[in-house]
């Protein structure tokens, strides 16, 4: 009589009674060796194939279960009005400059006034102009910049009767004024009022599709930066306006919107590869996430890595060391490396994003105060981020593969567990 090990006897008992297809032939006493080898090779190939296919489905579910589709039901939409940031050419307030000079009482008043003029005009890409004024590094540069910059008191008036404020902000571009920003709390120079914090974005409906916005009663021309409400202004979307003469500028924008279905939020961040504003993981801009703020934080960290300090243009939740004016040379010298480092920033996209492309741009000189007017084409198509392969789909696919290759089901799994326990406890 052939001796049988306890483990093989245990497996034989389970296999003889399970409903899995094919495995019965491995323990059937009437099966010859060639039959057992044939069924063993079939079962092994089936196991490998099914594991491979099941793994493909689950990798897809865990890494890329979403799709961006077109949505055409525009009658139910409200469109966000284009955001605008204006950096006026006439930035220096001469009265404030003279008053600050008298308070500081510098050894060389003429050089100090030249420093203030340079500071008022400085931005991230002209930092080298400040290096020669290192003797004034002890000053609070952000506070000084706020004091000497002209205050623009202008409103944005929409043709539907709505009025909105221009908010004074500090960015890479220095002191500027912005309209319709969702990240205003991280850019604003002065503390925001409760009303400002509660006010949402300016939106228009399909009925108001021809609405335009006007910015008038300005004291000087300014460079225009157009962007989405969740973005900070950048030089990539800049309209140059002549400094010398008064001008009338008209613009038309086309929105590019990506919305997220409500079910998207149930996925893990790594699955959908995007973040909602309340899912912030940022250290310098706590409590709110946008791709723009993430990239800005990454750049600030690169500045800290290369030079140990950051420029004075930013409002952050964490107090960061501000570069002395002489230390700006380090930032200028490492500018290329910092830009290259931005490519390695792991900043996820916004699940809901709004951008704009410039469709029409007309600038001409005229005899009155500078005037800026812009409108938008109401979009009839937008993009929607949806789940195309959910958890239920992954389970159904797994069950279908197991059923195709093994004739197995959920009941089969329960049955196997039952037989194992029954034979262990026997």
């Amino acid at each position: 009589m052939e001796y049988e090990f306890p483990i093989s006897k245990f497996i034989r008992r389970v296999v003889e009674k399970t409903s899995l297809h094919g495995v019965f032939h491995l323990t059937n006493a009437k099966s010859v060796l060639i039959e057992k080898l044939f069924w063993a090779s079939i079962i092994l190939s089936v196991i490998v194939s099914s594991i491979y296919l099941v793994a493909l489905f689950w990798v897809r579910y865990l890494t890329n279960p979403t799709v961006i589709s077109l949505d055409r039901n525009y009658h139910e939409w409200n469109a966000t009005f284009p955001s605008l940031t204006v950096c006026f050419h006439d930035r220096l307030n001469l009265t404030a400059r003279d008053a600050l000079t008298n308070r500081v009482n510098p050894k060389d008043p003429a050089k100090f006034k030249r420093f203030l003029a340079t500071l008022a005009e400085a931005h991230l890409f002209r930092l080298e102009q400040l290096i020669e004024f290192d003797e004034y590094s002890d000053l609070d540069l952000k506070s000084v910049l706020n004091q000497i910059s002209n205050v623009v008191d202008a409103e944005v008036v929409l043709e539907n009767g709505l009025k909105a404020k221009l908010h004074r902000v500090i960015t890479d571009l220095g002191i500027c004024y912005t309209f319709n920003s969702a990240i205003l709390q991280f850019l604003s120079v002065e503390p925001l009022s409760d009303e400002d914090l509660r006010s949402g974005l300016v939106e228009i409906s399909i009925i108001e599709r021809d609405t335009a916005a006007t910015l008038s009663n300005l004291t000087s021309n300014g460079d225009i930066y157009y962007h989405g409400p969740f973005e900070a202004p950048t030089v990539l979307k800049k309209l140059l306006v002549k400094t010398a003469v008064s001008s009338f500028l008209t613009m038309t924008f086309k929105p590019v919107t990506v919305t997220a279905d409500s079910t998207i939020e149930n996925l893990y961040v790594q699955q959908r590869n995007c973040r909602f504003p309340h899912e912030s993981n940022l250290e310098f801009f706590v409590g709110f996430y946008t791709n723009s703020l993430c990239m800005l934080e990454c750049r600030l960290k690169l500045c800290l890595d290369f030079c140990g300090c950051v420029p004075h243009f930013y409002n952050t939740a964490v107090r960061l060391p501000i570069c002395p004016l002489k230390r700006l040379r380090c930032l200028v010298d490492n500018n290329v490396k910092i830009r290259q480092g931005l490519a390695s920033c792991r900043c996820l996209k916004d699940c809901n994003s709004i951008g704009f492309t410039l469709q029409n741009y007309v600038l001409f000189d005229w005899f009155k105060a500078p005037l800026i007017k812009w409108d938008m084409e109401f979009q009839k198509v937008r993009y929607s981020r949806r789940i195309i392969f959910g958890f239920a789909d992954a389970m159904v696919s797994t069950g279908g593969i197991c059923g195709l290759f093994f004739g197995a089901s959920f009941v089969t799994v329960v049955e196997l567990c039952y037989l194992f326990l029954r034979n262990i406890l026997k």
Side-chain angles (χ1 to χ4, degrees):
M1 181 178 177
E2 184 180 357
Y3 179 76
E4 190 173 22
F5 292 99
I7 185 66
S8 61
K9 186 177 182 181
F10 170 76
I11 294 175
R12 178 186 293 273
R13 287 177 180 174
V14 174
V15 168
E16 285 177 345
K17 297 181 180 180
T18 182
S19 59
L20 282 175
H21 293 178
V23 295
F24 167 75
H25 298 284
L26 299 177
T27 58
N28 188 2
K30 297 181 180 180
S31 298
V32 297
L33 180 61
I34 189 66
E35 289 181 292
K36 293 182 179 181
L37 291 175
F38 170 77
W39 282 107
S41 62
I42 292 294
I43 292 172
L44 180 62
S45 62
V46 162
I47 290 175
V48 173
S49 300
S50 60
I51 289 176
Y52 174 73
L53 292 176
V54 168
L56 281 183
F57 276 102
W58 279 97
V59 167
R60 182 183 177 188
Y61 167 68
L62 293 173
T63 59
N64 190 26
T66 63
V67 66
I68 295 180
S69 59
L70 291 180
D71 191 353
R72 299 179 181 272
N73 193 17
Y74 64 91
H75 293 285
E76 298 180 359
W77 302 340
N78 282 338
T80 302
F81 205 76
S83 303
L84 218 65
T85 296
V86 185
C87 297
F88 293 99
H89 295 154
D90 187 10
R91 299 192 183 193
L92 182 62
N93 186 309
L94 299 180
T95 303
R97 179 202 64 181
D98 294 339
L100 182 61
T101 303
N102 292 332
R103 286 200 305 272
V104 174
N105 192 22
K107 294 180 180 179
D108 188 347
K111 183 178 181 180
F112 186 73
K113 289 182 179 180
R114 190 158 53 90
F115 158 67
L116 295 180
T118 305
L119 180 65
E121 299 294 333
H123 55 69
L124 184 64
F125 306 101
R126 289 201 308 203
L127 293 176
E128 65 276 2
Q129 298 179 1
L130 291 170
I131 296 174
E132 63 176 294
F133 302 104
D134 184 57
E135 60 195 278
Y136 306 121
S137 292
D138 292 337
L139 296 174
D140 185 342
L141 297 181
K142 189 187 299 183
S143 176
V144 170
L145 179 59
N146 187 33
Q147 293 176 51
I148 64 174
S149 297
N150 270 326
V151 176
V152 177
D153 187 15
E155 282 186 325
V156 177
V157 180
L158 283 78
E159 291 181 357
N160 61 4
L162 181 66
K163 293 184 178 180
K165 293 172 59 177
L166 268 184
H167 290 277
R168 186 178 171 90
V169 296
I170 184 167
T171 68
D172 297 340
L173 313 168
I175 295 285
C176 300
Y177 289 81
T178 195
F179 159 74
N180 208 31
S181 174
I183 58 174
L184 183 63
Q185 56 182 315
F186 304 108
L187 306 177
S188 179
V189 176
E190 293 93 6
L192 298 175
S193 65
D194 293 338
E195 181 182 355
D196 292 331
L197 292 173
R198 287 194 303 267
S199 62
L201 299 175
V202 176
E203 297 182 337
I204 60 173
S205 65
I206 185 65
I207 301 173
E208 304 169 313
R209 58 188 299 175
D210 297 324
T211 297
T214 303
L215 184 57
S216 58
N217 298 324
L218 304 177
T219 57
S220 73
N221 287 343
D223 292 331
I224 310 297
Y225 300 84
Y226 61 95
H227 51 88
F230 298 99
E231 299 173 337
T234 67
V235 294
L236 298 177
K237 296 183 177 180
K238 177 182 179 180
L239 301 177
L240 288 173
V241 181
K242 291 182 290 186
T243 304
V245 295
S246 181
S247 62
F248 183 6
L249 173 64
T250 63
M251 299 166 288
T252 299
F253 297 100
K254 182 178 181 180
V256 180
T257 305
V258 179
T259 62
D261 189 78
S262 57
T263 56
I264 288 287
E265 197 167 355
N266 297 328
L267 298 175
Y268 294 110
V269 173
Q270 292 77 10
Q271 286 179 280
R272 47 180 145 92
N273 291 317
C274 68
R275 285 186 182 273
F276 289 94
H278 63 272
E279 297 175 329
S280 177
N281 63 341
L282 304 180
E283 300 175 26
F284 300 163
F285 306 99
V286 178
F288 199 87
Y289 179 88
T290 71
N291 177 265
S292 180
L293 289 177
C294 180
M295 292 299 292
L296 176 55
E297 178 170 301
C298 183
R299 185 167 62 201
L300 293 179
K301 288 182 176 180
L302 289 170
C303 290
L304 291 172
D305 290 340
F306 284 108
C307 301
C309 60
V310 300
H312 59 277
F313 300 120
Y314 309 106
N315 296 325
T316 56
V318 180
R319 189 174 181 85
L320 301 177
I322 303 299
C323 289
L325 296 177
K326 190 174 183 179
R327 189 67 176 163
L328 294 176
R329 171 59 64 187
C330 175
L331 294 177
V332 174
D333 292 342
N334 288 282
N335 184 44
V336 174
K337 293 181 180 179
I338 292 174
R339 289 188 182 184
Q340 292 173 345
L342 291 175
S344 62
C345 297
R346 297 180 179 179
C347 290
L348 296 180
K349 298 178 181 179
D350 301 321
C351 291
N352 294 300
S353 64
I354 305 170
F356 297 93
T357 58
L358 182 64
Q359 299 296 298
N360 187 32
Y361 167 57
V362 178
L363 175 68
F364 55 87
D365 302 337
W366 78 330
F367 58 93
K368 294 184 179 180
L371 181 67
I372 301 172
K373 187 174 183 178
W374 71 102
D375 59 14
M376 62 177 286
E377 297 177 1
F378 197 91
Q379 63 181 143
K380 294 186 178 181
V381 175
R382 69 180 183 184
Y383 302 98
S384 181
R385 201 184 302 270
R386 305 176 187 274
I387 295 178
I388 192 175
F389 196 77
F391 179 76
D393 299 306
M395 292 296 294
V396 169
S397 298
T398 301
I401 292 171
C402 292
L404 174 65
F405 285 101
F406 294 110
S409 65
F410 180 76
V411 174
T412 306
V413 176
V414 175
E415 178 189 57
L416 282 173
C417 295
Y418 168 74
L419 291 174
F420 271 106
L421 290 173
R422 179 180 176 184
N423 284 276
I424 289 173
L425 299 175
K426 193 172 182 179

